[in-house]
Amino acid sequence: MKLIFGLLFTLLIIPSPLSSQNLVPPINNYKVFEYQADSKNWGVSTNDEGELFVANNSGLLHFNGEKWQLYKLPNNTTIRSVAVIHGKIFTGSYEEFGYWVKNEFGVLTYTSLTHLIKDHVFTSEEFWQILPQGDKVLFRSFNAIYIFKDDNITVIDPSFVVSQITTYGDRILIAGGIAGLFELIDGEIKNLAGYDILLNKSIIDMDEIEAGLLIGTKRNGCYILRDGKIMPFNTGINQELKQYQLNQILPLPGNKIAFGTIKNGIYIYDQEKQNHQKLNRQVGLQNNTVLAMTLFKDQLWVGLDNGIDHIRLNYPITYYTDYLGAVGTVYDLVEYEDILYMASNTGIYYFKDNEVQFVEGSQGHVWDLNVTHGELFCGHNTGTYRVKEQMFDKISDISGGYQIVKVPESDSSFIQGTYVGLAKYEKDQSNKWIVTPIEGMDKPSKFLCFEDTHTLWVAHPSKGLFRIVLNDSYDKVVEKIEFNKGEIPTNYNVKVYNIRNQIAFNIAGVWHRYDPILKTIGRFKEFQKYNHKDLVHHDDDFFWFIDNEGSKEVLFTDLGDVSFVLDDIQLQQRLTPEAEEIIKLNDSIYCFTLNDGFGQLNTYKFKRQFENFELPSPKLVSFEDNGNTYALNSDHFGIPYKFAQDITINIASPALPQAKYYYELKGRRNQKGNIENGIISFQNISYGTYDLDVYTVSIDNERSKANTIHFQIYPPWYLSKLSIVLYCMALIGILMAVRKYNLLKLEKKHLKLKAEFIKDQEKMLAKREKEELEKEIKLKQKELARITMNMAEKNKVILELKEMLIVNKNQFASQKRFNSFIKKLDNSIRDDEDWKHFEVNFKELHEDFFENLLKMYPKLTPKDLKLCAYLKMNLASKEIAPLMAISNRGVEIHRYRLRKKLGIDSSQHLSNFLIKFN
């Protein structure tokens, strides 16, 4: 196992080129599992908006910048060719060709054209090429050419194999395989004489370039046709095209040509500079067999034998990528004596003639490359070395050279932070480096920063921050202050910088600075807007920050008016957290260390490219809710409330690779945010009218013009217009019912009040009548009592007179006269007139008393009735006796007899009985 590892390592560090890799534009690979179709892609084409259409073994692939969609032909055959012409997507297949257009839902629908062919039978043909010419569309198979115009198809049936067709000016030229070159004139094929050089050479592609018509052959390179003459394309690239079998030609802007080969990917040839760049599997293509190419602006789409690739030509960021894994993670870069050196976790590499070379003996982790006093220093895991192309000379055994800084006001003295503390580097008179460990600091020292000529700030790689003062000879620490928790928020992973003569710190993502007067560390107010951003490079003018806790976007600023944001997905994905470095090579070229190589940014090209670039607004791809997909030909979408729980809006910006988006929802709910996949989802939005503004966000973080999508969520059924009308009608009905109820209630109350009033009146009348009756009764009672008393007094007087007469009977001279006088007295007592008068008054007070009493007790005599009347008036026996002209004893006897007749026992009071009797 050790032997195998040794052999492998030797292969990696030998001085021969590791590969022919150099800086290439970003290449995005779309693999089979991403687009969900077959591996082979025979043709590619784009429309004016940048949407991609691919002729794939499985059907037609459509990519809108966010989503892949496969459309199959009715007969499920392989599509061999595709071309977007006048807004239609024409495709060719096995014995089938036609076009696709989008319906109102944005879905492609197919229309076949083969039914227009008359009097012709296919001979097992596949259509490999589609060519527009004016108002015509030409479909090419190996056997024939079909011309579509005005809903008619004309068939051109040559006698040779048709390998290619092209337009050259207003001419249509036909390549007859190895049979040479032909021209289609008025529906007839004419042999072009004088081009015998092309005989027996299989023509594979033809395209017009500035120099003429470029004709490519499979194995014999290219030729130029100009002014009726044909000659070899005598360039340095022609030999490689012969070797690697040319398959596709695509003219590019800037007098460049893209050559697609079968065996070695793509060659980008610059006709002015007479040089070329190879883009093959070693530098990022998925496959070296190029089947098709098309250009949209500066974006090159490539159909491969296995996959689809997208190359961003003229992009301001280019990459060196270590696809073999030999270099590893890059930690530093430096240009020294016109050679670019690269420090990684596997050693030191350099570029020479676009080839990567390994510095022999440098294997191991390299932290730092620095040009020190005119020499290239390497801070290595095992020590510090001087480096040249094939020289790796150790000058210090102190392991782990993190960083080396120049001593202020000195030209030949330097301080280095290492695994075990600090070291001083100084040249003696013999120009030899003297390395001295600095006494008093034995902790790992990763970040160094001078405050003044003798004061040095040191940060531990993981834990610790120190302010030390060195002696005059810089070999001993004379003062050391350690900042711990309490003095600073945390002492973990503190980074220290000298920013415009201020000592600044990034502590847990928050910027602080040192106050030399108060000797304290506090917030760096001017830098608070850069919190949670790491400073990876700065000079006197410009600062580079990386957002390590968020989107990883790179910010370039002068801390004033000049700034831009670099928001490149590929760059962000390849940065190494906590080890990012940006190295300035010149005024416009900056390099980024990556986990598999490095990136290079041309700031001048970046600014120029985006100054006049009009960012396209995103287009609406689909609008869906829980139950419906809506037609896109409407400028307003109406959504039933029951389907509005989940709304999905798909947007895309095909012209902008790996686009990012920003949206703002305005309405009853306000919402905004950033998205990267083109899908905007809303859940449980309340009913109402909404405006959704969507923007495309570019690499420099600028926004496009808004594309505003209007939609309305209808109210639930119980809040619909009909329901509201019904509610209003119901409310009116309720109000009317309430009004009627209130009127009835009011009327009822009125009647009740009236009844109560009448009743009260009646009561008052009754009361008055009662009162009057009572008064009358009282008067009658008084009258009756008066009459009774008068009768009693009269009878009493008469009785007394009678008794006196009886006593003085002997004094009367005549007995007859006495008797007559006594009789008159008795008659006066028995005077019926007094009784009748009494009886009338009594009956007015006690109506029907005698009648009711006689009904119940018919045996009562008139004398009994008189006694009953007197008893009802509650007269005592002594008051009754004069009235009845009998003695008190007689009254008692009569009462006794009456009690017997009435059937009242002795326990019941006779007077009470008669008083209560009605």
Side-chain angles (χ1 to χ4, degrees):
M1 190 67 186
K2 290 182 179 179
L3 178 61
I4 293 173
F5 179 82
L7 289 172
L8 288 173
F9 193 80
T10 303
L11 288 172
L12 291 176
I13 65 173
I14 56 176
S16 59
L18 285 175
S19 68
S20 59
Q21 298 176 112
N22 50 22
L23 290 170
V24 297
I27 300 174
N28 294 323
N29 302 137
Y30 294 97
K31 302 181 185 297
V32 172
F33 69 84
E34 291 180 78
Y35 59 75
Q36 294 290 303
D38 197 80
S39 60
K40 287 182 170 56
N41 299 284
W42 300 103
V44 288
S45 184
T46 57
N47 63 11
D48 293 338
E49 295 178 326
E51 293 178 80
L52 177 69
F53 303 92
V54 182
N56 183 272
N57 267 4
S58 298
L60 177 66
L61 272 173
H62 172 225
F63 182 57
N64 62 13
E66 296 295 339
K67 182 181 178 182
W68 291 94
Q69 184 69 47
L70 176 66
Y71 295 93
K72 291 181 176 289
L73 287 169
N75 55 7
N76 288 326
T77 54
T78 294
I79 295 181
R80 298 291 187 183
S81 56
V82 62
V84 179
I85 304 170
H86 306 310
K88 295 179 179 179
I89 303 98
F90 289 86
T91 57
S93 180
Y94 178 75
E95 296 186 349
E96 174 64 43
F97 59 82
Y99 64 86
W100 306 72
V101 292
K102 289 183 180 179
N103 62 16
E104 66 271 23
F105 298 100
V107 177
L108 291 175
T109 58
Y110 182 68
T111 300
S112 176
L113 297 175
T114 54
H115 66 282
L116 301 175
I117 302 173
K118 309 297 182 185
D119 302 323
H120 179 80
V121 178
F122 287 126
T123 55
S124 191
E125 298 175 54
E126 290 189 293
F127 293 93
W128 293 91
Q129 187 182 2
I130 302 169
L131 179 70
Q133 201 234 5
D135 57 353
K136 302 174 186 176
V137 179
L138 284 67
F139 297 87
R140 175 189 67 82
S141 71
F142 287 135
N143 299 334
I145 300 171
Y146 298 78
I147 303 174
F148 171 64
K149 179 182 178 181
D150 299 331
D151 288 335
N152 291 299
I153 291 180
T154 304
V155 182
I156 306 298
D157 199 357
S159 59
F160 51 83
V161 174
V162 182
S163 60
Q164 184 69 204
I165 56 176
T166 192
T167 57
Y168 184 40
D170 58 353
R171 304 164 64 189
I172 298 177
L173 300 184
I174 303 171
I178 61 174
L181 203 59
F182 301 83
E183 184 175 359
L184 182 63
I185 304 174
D186 297 330
E188 295 186 5
I189 296 176
K190 304 290 185 179
N191 187 8
L192 297 179
Y195 303 140
D196 294 346
I197 193 173
L198 296 176
L199 294 176
N200 297 316
K201 295 179 176 65
S202 180
I203 298 173
I204 190 66
D205 202 0
M206 299 184 292
D207 275 285
E208 187 175 358
I209 61 173
E210 188 176 330
L213 182 66
L214 184 61
I215 301 171
T217 66
K218 277 187 178 181
R219 300 183 184 277
N220 300 97
C222 293
Y223 297 84
I224 285 286
L225 172 63
R226 184 172 185 177
D227 300 331
K229 296 181 180 180
I230 192 164
M231 61 190 73
F233 186 55
N234 290 322
T235 61
I237 197 174
N238 216 17
Q239 186 58 40
E240 298 212 33
L241 298 180
K242 294 177 185 179
Q243 179 182 354
Y244 294 112
Q245 192 176 337
L246 176 66
N247 192 46
Q248 291 284 319
I249 298 173
L250 180 66
L252 301 176
N255 209 16
K256 295 180 180 180
I257 306 169
F259 295 99
T261 68
I262 295 295
K263 298 180 180 179
N264 200 28
I266 300 170
Y267 290 79
I268 306 294
Y269 178 68
D270 190 325
Q271 296 183 78
E272 293 179 359
K273 296 180 181 179
Q274 296 287 305
N275 60 16
H276 66 270
Q277 182 180 36
K278 282 185 286 187
L279 302 174
N280 54 21
R281 185 163 183 175
Q282 286 183 306
V283 297
L285 287 186
Q286 295 182 80
N287 187 271
N288 281 336
T289 300
V290 178
L291 301 179
M293 294 186 296
T294 191
L295 185 71
F296 175 77
K297 297 183 178 179
D298 285 335
Q299 304 171 40
L300 181 63
W301 285 99
V302 185
L304 300 169
D305 186 62
N306 186 12
I308 300 168
D309 282 352
H310 175 259
I311 305 168
R312 303 174 75 173
L313 305 176
N314 300 318
Y315 196 62
I317 304 177
T318 52
Y319 294 96
Y320 162 72
T321 305
D322 173 33
Y323 284 100
L324 298 179
V327 174
T329 299
V330 176
Y331 285 88
D332 203 358
L333 290 162
V334 70
E335 194 171 39
Y336 178 64
E337 295 181 350
D338 297 326
I339 295 175
L340 184 64
Y341 288 85
M342 182 167 54
S344 79
N345 63 311
T346 63
I348 301 176
Y349 302 82
Y350 64 95
F351 288 86
K352 190 172 183 180
D353 300 326
N354 285 331
E355 294 180 347
V356 179
Q357 303 281 345
F358 180 72
V359 177
E360 189 173 355
S362 67
Q363 56 266 27
H365 200 300
V366 180
W367 292 103
D368 181 48
L369 288 175
N370 192 283
V371 178
T372 305
H373 206 263
E375 297 181 83
L376 179 58
F377 273 26
C378 161
H380 196 278
N381 190 51
T382 59
T384 301
Y385 299 81
R386 281 182 299 188
V387 182
K388 280 196 174 181
E389 292 180 45
Q390 288 302 321
M391 183 189 80
F392 196 63
D393 182 25
K394 181 180 280 191
I395 57 175
S396 170
D397 289 323
I398 301 174
S399 61
Y402 282 124
Q403 182 185 10
I404 190 166
V405 295
K406 180 178 169 297
V407 174
E409 301 180 8
S410 173
D411 294 329
S412 59
S413 296
F414 300 85
I415 304 295
Q416 184 186 50
T418 71
Y419 289 172
V420 293
L422 300 174
K424 172 190 172 186
Y425 286 73
E426 189 173 27
K427 270 194 173 182
D428 61 12
Q429 294 179 350
S430 62
N431 209 30
K432 181 180 178 183
W433 285 101
I434 305 298
V435 181
T436 307
I438 296 177
E439 184 182 343
M441 185 64 188
D442 56 0
K443 296 181 181 296
S445 306
K446 189 172 185 179
F447 301 101
L448 307 180
C449 182
F450 270 101
E451 179 183 338
D452 54 39
T453 54
H454 287 82
T455 305
L456 181 67
W457 287 87
V458 180
H460 188 282
S462 297
K463 187 176 181 181
L465 176 64
F466 305 88
R467 182 177 183 266
I468 65 174
V469 178
L470 301 172
N471 61 6
D472 291 339
S473 58
Y474 294 96
D475 57 6
K476 184 176 181 180
V477 175
V478 296
E479 181 183 336
K480 181 170 69 173
I481 300 173
E482 183 175 0
F483 291 84
N484 296 306
K485 290 182 181 179
E487 298 170 291
I488 55 177
T490 178
N491 58 0
Y492 175 76
N493 199 21
V494 178
K495 297 174 184 177
V496 59
Y497 309 88
N498 188 321
I499 298 176
R500 295 178 179 175
N501 295 321
Q502 294 191 81
I503 301 302
F505 312 91
N506 190 322
I507 305 174
V510 179
W511 284 95
H512 295 71
R513 74 177 183 89
Y514 177 70
D515 188 329
I517 298 175
L518 300 176
K519 298 187 182 301
T520 58
I521 295 175
R523 291 287 181 96
F524 194 172
K525 293 181 180 179
E526 294 83 352
F527 261 50
Q528 290 309 292
K529 63 180 178 179
Y530 304 111
N531 283 343
H532 306 293
K533 291 179 174 61
D534 289 340
L535 181 62
V536 291
H537 177 80
H538 71 98
D539 51 29
D540 293 335
D541 300 315
F542 294 101
F543 297 78
W544 291 82
F545 293 92
I546 293 180
D547 183 1
N548 243 334
E549 296 187 10
S551 62
K552 293 261 185 195
E553 64 185 18
V554 179
L555 173 64
F556 174 79
T557 179
D558 65 348
L559 305 182
D561 298 330
V562 179
S563 68
F564 66 80
V565 174
L566 187 63
D567 196 6
D568 183 81
I569 293 177
Q570 187 173 151
L571 178 66
Q572 294 165 358
Q573 291 174 343
R574 296 171 64 181
L575 289 168
T576 305
E578 299 298 332
E580 304 94 337
E581 286 287 339
I582 296 179
I583 299 93
K584 182 178 180 179
L585 299 185
N586 58 44
D587 288 341
S588 61
I589 303 298
Y590 291 83
C591 290
F592 299 81
T593 60
L594 305 176
N595 54 28
D596 57 356
F598 67 90
Q600 182 172 288
L601 171 67
N602 185 324
T603 56
Y604 171 76
K605 191 174 181 180
F606 178 87
K607 294 173 186 175
R608 186 183 63 185
Q609 181 170 337
F610 290 101
E611 268 178 1
N612 301 316
F613 177 67
E614 185 175 354
L615 195 62
S617 299
K619 58 178 291 187
L620 178 62
V621 175
S622 68
F623 194 105
E624 302 170 358
D625 61 25
N626 252 359
N628 305 288
T629 299
Y630 293 86
L632 302 179
N633 53 8
S634 172
D635 59 355
H636 185 274
F637 301 97
I639 306 169
Y641 182 80
K642 64 179 180 179
F643 296 130
Q645 291 84 2
D646 192 358
I647 299 172
T648 301
I649 300 167
N650 287 276
I651 58 174
S653 185
L656 198 66
Q658 296 180 319
K660 294 184 177 182
Y661 308 94
Y662 176 81
Y663 72 90
E664 289 184 13
L665 181 68
K666 302 171 185 175
R668 295 190 69 180
R669 180 202 289 187
N670 294 317
Q671 185 174 322
K672 58 186 177 181
N674 295 290
I675 55 171
E676 295 185 1
N677 59 1
I679 301 174
I680 306 173
S681 295
F682 300 112
Q683 282 79 34
N684 300 318
I685 298 182
S686 59
Y687 68 90
T689 301
Y690 293 88
D691 289 334
L692 176 65
D693 293 334
V694 291
Y695 307 82
T696 304
V697 182
S698 69
I699 185 177
D700 59 347
N701 219 31
E702 292 296 320
R703 294 180 192 168
S704 68
K705 292 181 181 178
N707 179 6
T708 302
I709 302 167
H710 307 281
F711 66 93
Q712 179 183 4
I713 298 175
Y714 298 130
W717 64 267
Y718 50 85
L719 293 176
S720 65
K721 290 181 179 179
L722 178 61
S723 297
I724 291 172
V725 170
L726 293 175
Y727 295 152
C728 291
M729 292 174 66
L731 181 60
I732 292 170
I734 290 170
L735 291 173
M736 291 177 68
V738 170
R739 184 174 180 276
K740 187 174 181 181
Y741 171 76
N742 287 335
L743 287 173
L744 291 173
K745 188 175 179 182
L746 185 63
E747 186 178 358
K748 187 176 180 181
K749 189 173 184 181
H750 177 71
L751 292 173
K752 183 179 178 182
L753 289 172
K754 186 177 179 180
E756 287 178 354
F757 177 76
I758 292 171
K759 188 176 180 181
D760 289 342
Q761 290 293 104
E762 289 176 349
K763 283 183 178 179
M764 288 177 67
L765 290 172
K767 184 178 180 182
R768 190 175 297 169
E769 289 176 358
K770 184 179 178 182
E771 288 175 352
E772 290 178 355
L773 183 61
E774 287 177 350
K775 286 180 182 179
E776 187 178 351
I777 290 171
K778 285 182 179 180
L779 289 173
K780 288 181 178 181
Q781 285 177 342
K782 287 180 179 179
E783 181 67 18
L784 183 61
R786 185 185 63 78
I787 292 170
T788 304
M789 291 307 296
N790 288 336
M791 288 174 62
E793 287 295 325
K794 184 193 81 169
N795 291 342
K796 183 177 180 182
V797 170
I798 292 172
L799 287 174
E800 287 177 354
L801 183 61
K802 183 180 178 181
E803 287 180 1
M804 288 176 63
L805 290 173
I806 292 172
V807 171
N808 298 298
K809 177 180 178 182
N810 297 325
Q811 293 181 4
F812 278 88
S814 171
Q815 186 67 34
K816 186 178 179 178
R817 186 178 174 89
F818 172 79
N819 290 334
S820 174
F821 194 73
I822 292 299
K823 185 177 181 179
K824 285 182 179 180
L825 289 174
D826 290 336
N827 289 336
S828 296
I829 294 172
R830 299 186 188 95
D831 190 359
D832 290 335
E833 290 297 325
D834 289 337
W835 169 250
K836 287 179 181 179
H837 188 57
F838 172 86
E839 187 178 15
V840 169
N841 284 283
F842 184 86
K843 285 184 177 180
E844 286 180 356
L845 287 173
H846 306 288
E847 190 176 356
D848 299 330
F849 175 76
F850 293 126
E851 288 80 355
N852 293 333
L853 195 62
L854 287 171
K855 283 180 182 179
M856 292 188 67
Y857 307 102
K859 292 182 178 182
L860 294 177
T861 65
K863 193 174 182 178
D864 293 332
L865 292 176
K866 281 185 180 181
L867 179 61
C868 287
Y870 297 145
L871 290 172
K872 188 170 182 64
M873 290 178 65
N874 201 24
L875 296 177
S877 295
K878 64 181 181 178
E879 294 173 326
I880 295 172
L883 293 172
M884 296 185 69
I886 58 175
S887 62
N888 289 341
R889 177 70 179 167
V891 172
E892 291 297 328
I893 293 169
H894 200 171
R895 288 180 64 163
Y896 175 79
R897 292 173 181 168
L898 181 61
R899 184 185 294 272
K900 291 290 186 180
K901 289 180 180 181
L902 295 177
I904 299 173
D905 56 25
S906 58
S907 63
Q908 191 171 3
H909 201 281
L910 181 59
S911 294
N912 289 341
F913 171 78
L914 292 172
I915 289 170
K916 294 177 181 179
F917 184 85
N918 289 321

